Amino acid sequence: MEQFKGLIVLFLIGIFLQLSSISHAQDIGNIIKQDPFKLSGNLSIGANMYQSSREIDRRSPYSYYIQGSPTFSFYGVTIPVVLSIRDSKFNFSKRVNRIGMNPKYKWAQLFFGSNSFQFSPYTLSGQNINGIGVKLTPGKFKFTAIRGTMKNLLPQLDSLIYGKDLLPIYQRKALGLQLGFNSSVANIELSAFKAKDQLDPPVMISDSLLDILTPEENLVVGIKAESTIANMFSAGVNLGGSVFTGDHTNELVKIEEQYQKLTQATLEPTVSTRFHFAGDVFGRININGFNLGIKLKQVDPFYRSLGVFYMQDDYRNITLNTRFPLLNRKLSIAASYGIQKNNLKEFRKRTNKRNIQSFQMNYNSGSIFSISANYSNYSQDQSAGLVSVDDTLRYAQVSKNISVSPKFIFTGNGRTQSVIISLTQFGLDDLSNFHDTPRSTTSRIMNVNYGIKWKESGLGLKLAGNYNTNESIGIESKRYGGTLGVQKKFNKKASASLSSTYNLRSSDGASSGSVISSRLSLKISPKKKHRFSLNIGNVIRMFSTKTNVNDIRANTSYTMSF
């Protein structure tokens, strides 16, 4: 209970300061006249079923879930609640319960349970923390404090040692703090985040995994600032510094006496402790919708933050970028061009320097025709999930993608017809020294979709074709086929759809089988803001050299909005 007191006191002080600033004669009277209790938001209850002809099931045969975001309001005090409860009836899955309650009154808010927080892409970004927190936003100021536990996303299924159970993990405690000031001309935020794996309670880890599942500790500090002058010129900086310990049970590093109290209060370094930087700075000018800017982004080798799911490291990008509209804003164009370099600390045997560019174009005639086109040969996006990154491959991969998608819509005679064409090519090139020659993977996806809907009858038909190729390590595989679908809207309360896709597959010109995928969907609204849905999917994979596989998945849910 002690850990709650400080945050609750801050919350109550915030409410007191707000109440003390209320006009006692008028605003108190308005509060009394308000509805004492209000409920808004949504709640969904559902179940998933799975059946397969495989000898070993890859998914839980049955699971249920309850999720929603109801918000309670009591005399102006709002209490948003985030609810997510999932249970999979299978021995390799664990029950996942995420419940968050966030009472709020004007600029004072508390966080209880599981909540997602965003400080910066280099410190804390999107991680769920189960615990308590407080957020105060009086006027131009902002203050956030968080304390709790979080999930370590490294452990995965290991069939060799632990069978179908999840690998053991340490309990990871987390602390976060953010201070900010926002105005019409400048914003500045300071943030700090710390996470540490706990040795108590003890975790039983096999000897073969002791070098992989080590107790980690991390302290990250960040600064984010941005300023705008005369609504034309803007500049900003976003920096993060990370002190990361791969194993805090290693031998401690000797610290001078005058710094010992500081390290004991923050992070005590061991022989596995490293310090790295990451960040970006930019400048931009905007004249009548025409934007021109420059950006420098760098992430040091081995930069890590336990508050970020995943981050590509060891690169520096310097790019010029522009964005502008044309043709009365029917056409928008954005482009960037620059230089990328890796091996910033010369840890690798090979340094890669290359030109990087991107291009985006969107055109909408406002009636029949629209088209979008994209091209990029670089990307440093964060990816959520259980990601196992091989150092040799990850550092050397360069992403490329290009896509074009024209769209035609014809309306008249009580019907709407659409034709959508999608052409996409993307690839990854391995430029490392691990292979004698660079290896690449190239995928091409081509789709053509035709749809027609009759407004009066509520009937719709869909016809589509696809052609996909994949080339990797001298092997070319293809998948091509078509889709036929029908949908029917019976009234405002019920609709149904049925579709089936048939694809042929080949590898280096030889047939490797086929796939039939079918889906049935039913939606019913028994009354306003209530919806029942049922989805059943069946995938039949037929192979030339092994036993066929038949998977059936079903989902049913009931959703209420209030």
Side-chain angles (χ1 to χ4, degrees), residues 468-480 505-512:
N468 305 337
T469 65
N470 185 78
E471 299 174 7
S472 179
I473 319 178
I475 300 176
E476 182 184 38
S477 59
K478 296 181 180 180
R479 187 177 76 249
Y480 50 92
R505 301 187 303 179
S506 66
S507 178
D508 282 341
S511 174
S512 59

Side-chain angles (χ1 to χ4, degrees), residues 272-296:
S272 63
T273 300
R274 299 292 183 270
F275 178 68
H276 300 287
F277 277 107
D280 58 82
V281 295
F282 74 90
R284 183 171 56 240
I285 183 173
N286 183 354
I287 302 177
N288 296 326
F290 178 85
N291 286 270
L292 179 64
I294 184 172
K295 184 175 183 179
L296 166 65

Side-chain angles (χ1 to χ4, degrees), residues 129-349:
I129 297 178
N130 188 29
I132 56 175
V134 63
K135 183 177 182 180
L136 305 176
T137 56
K140 298 179 180 180
F141 296 91
K142 178 170 65 174
F143 171 80
T144 304
I146 313 161
R147 179 177 181 177
T149 61
M150 57 191 296
K151 292 291 186 182
N152 178 3
L153 296 179
L154 172 64
Q156 306 177 54
L157 296 177
D158 188 292
S159 59
L160 296 178
I161 299 174
Y162 287 91
K164 297 176 182 177
D165 293 328
L166 291 172
L167 297 179
I169 58 175
Y170 297 95
Q171 183 186 63
R172 177 167 292 173
K173 289 189 176 182
L175 296 170
L177 181 67
Q178 185 181 51
L179 300 172
F181 175 82
N182 301 318
S183 71
S184 58
V185 295
N187 305 319
I188 184 169
E189 295 178 356
L190 302 175
S191 60
F193 174 76
K194 181 181 179 181
K196 183 177 182 179
D197 291 337
Q198 303 299 300
L199 299 179
D200 188 21
V203 178
M204 300 301 296
I205 299 178
S206 65
D207 294 339
S208 60
L209 296 176
L210 286 177
D211 293 333
I212 300 176
L213 301 178
T214 57
E216 299 173 330
E217 185 175 9
N218 184 213
L219 174 64
V220 194
V221 295
I223 180 172
K224 182 179 180 181
E226 184 174 346
S227 180
T228 302
I229 302 175
N231 293 324
M232 290 179 56
F233 304 97
S234 60
V237 59
N238 193 352
L239 302 176
S242 175
V243 182
F244 187 87
T245 300
D247 186 347
H248 63 71
T249 62
N250 288 153
E251 179 183 353
L252 293 176
V253 175
K254 292 184 179 180
I255 302 296
E256 295 183 15
E257 185 175 353
Q258 62 265 35
Y259 300 116
Q260 290 180 1
K261 291 184 178 180
L262 177 62
T263 59
Q264 290 174 0
T266 54
L267 182 147
E268 295 187 86
T270 73
V271 293
S272 63
T273 300
R274 299 292 183 270
F275 178 68
H276 300 287
F277 277 107
D280 58 82
V281 295
F282 74 90
R284 183 171 56 240
I285 183 173
N286 183 354
I287 302 177
N288 296 326
F290 178 85
N291 286 270
L292 179 64
I294 184 172
K295 184 175 183 179
L296 166 65
K297 182 176 182 179
Q298 177 171 318
V299 181
D300 282 350
F302 311 114
Y303 182 90
R304 282 193 63 188
S305 169
L306 294 180
V308 178
F309 289 110
Y310 164 72
M311 181 180 298
Q312 183 176 336
D313 61 355
D314 192 15
Y315 70 90
R316 179 191 297 125
N317 290 349
I318 303 176
T319 55
L320 293 172
N321 52 80
T322 184
R323 180 184 296 272
F324 53 90
L326 294 172
L327 304 178
N328 294 323
R329 298 188 178 275
K330 291 183 178 181
L331 174 65
S332 64
I333 294 177
S336 67
Y337 181 84
I339 300 173
Q340 183 181 79
K341 176 186 176 182
N342 66 358
N343 198 18
L344 302 182
K345 302 296 183 180
E346 298 184 353
F347 293 147
R348 308 188 196 192
K349 296 180 180 179

Side-chain angles (χ1 to χ4, degrees), residues 46-62:
N48 297 303
M49 284 74 72
Y50 172 75
Q51 183 177 355
S52 176
S53 63
R54 305 173 191 266
E55 294 182 1
I56 300 177
D57 287 337
R58 295 185 175 182
R59 296 170 58 94
S60 173
Y62 171 77

Side-chain angles (χ1 to χ4, degrees), residues 343-359:
N343 198 18
L344 302 182
K345 302 296 183 180
E346 298 184 353
F347 293 147
R348 308 188 196 192
K349 296 180 180 179
R350 182 176 180 179
T351 299
N352 179 35
K353 296 180 181 179
R354 66 189 186 103
N355 295 327
I356 54 176
Q357 54 265 338
S358 67
F359 174 82

Side-chain angles (χ1 to χ4, degrees), residues 4 17 59 78 89 96 117 148 167 185 203 212 274 318 328 332 353 386 390 410 469 496 498 514-515 543 546 557 560:
F4 288 86
L17 291 175
R59 296 170 58 94
T78 60
K89 297 295 184 181
V96 178
F117 296 92
L167 297 179
V185 295
V203 178
I212 300 176
R274 299 292 183 270
I318 303 176
N328 294 323
S332 64
K353 296 180 181 179
L386 297 173
D390 185 333
F410 308 93
T469 65
L498 175 65
S514 59
V515 179
F543 301 95
K546 58 183 179 180
S557 65
M560 299 170 287

